[in-house]
């Protein structure tokens, strides 16, 4: 399994707008592609003193599934124009981790 990690930062004033764009447009757009091997996506938010940090963690079954999502240069960040417009800064490249151990806990 592969975890794709990306981070972006917004002003406090633009944080809610960014969250709406990601939850309302970006994630549904990714889901609509029905990418083979794409398992799930997490969006997290952290309030900081001067800004708001967002992070996405995308879960894929294999690196070939990440390539199906982004192409051969699969580390390129996926940040549509609407999202870029409300961010202060963001990772231009995503990082990818091989998941060595992930343990779902009983409910």
């Amino acid at each position: 399994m592969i975890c794709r990690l990306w981070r972006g930062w917004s002003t406090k004033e633009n944080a809610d707008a960014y969250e709406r764009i990601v939850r309302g447009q970006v994630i549904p757009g990714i889901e609509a592609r029905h990418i083979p091997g794409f398992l799930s996506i997490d969006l997290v938010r952290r309030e900081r003193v001067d800004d708001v940090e967002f992070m996405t963690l995308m879960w894929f079954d294999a690196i070939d599934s990440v390539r199906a999502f982004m192409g051969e240069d699969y580390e390129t960040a996926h940040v549509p124009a609407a999202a870029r417009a409300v961010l202060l800064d963001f990772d231009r490249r995503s990082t990818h981790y091989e998941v060595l151990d992930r343990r779902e806990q009983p409910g």
Side-chain angles (χ1 to χ4, degrees):
M1 180 183 295
I2 301 296
C3 179
R4 175 184 171 97
L5 185 142
W6 173 90
R7 296 175 311 152
W9 298 267
S10 75
T11 62
K12 291 178 181 281
E13 296 77 21
N14 284 340
D16 290 343
Y18 175 75
E19 183 179 336
R20 277 192 305 275
I21 291 165
V22 174
R23 294 177 78 187
Q25 298 172 27
V26 178
I27 292 174
I30 293 168
E31 292 171 327
R33 292 176 53 189
H34 301 286
I35 302 157
F38 170 53
L39 304 173
S40 65
I41 185 169
D42 300 316
L43 173 65
V44 298
R45 175 177 173 156
R46 178 169 71 128
E47 303 285 330
R48 301 189 327 163
V49 173
D50 295 322
D51 61 14
V52 179
E53 180 179 26
F54 290 91
M55 183 168 51
T56 58
L57 298 103
M58 296 180 73
W59 304 89
F60 293 89
D61 65 356
I63 202 70
D64 285 340
S65 300
V66 180
R67 284 189 181 96
F69 170 50
M70 289 303 298
E72 281 306 309
D73 189 14
Y74 62 87
E75 290 185 345
T76 299
H78 176 72
V79 188
R84 288 175 190 248
V86 292
L87 288 173
L88 284 171
D89 196 12
F90 58 90
D91 292 339
R92 299 317 191 255
R93 316 253 329 141
S94 295
T95 54
H96 298 83
Y97 297 87
E98 181 181 358
V99 180
L100 302 177
D101 192 358
R102 185 172 193 220
R103 300 179 190 203
E104 298 288 336
Q105 300 300 304

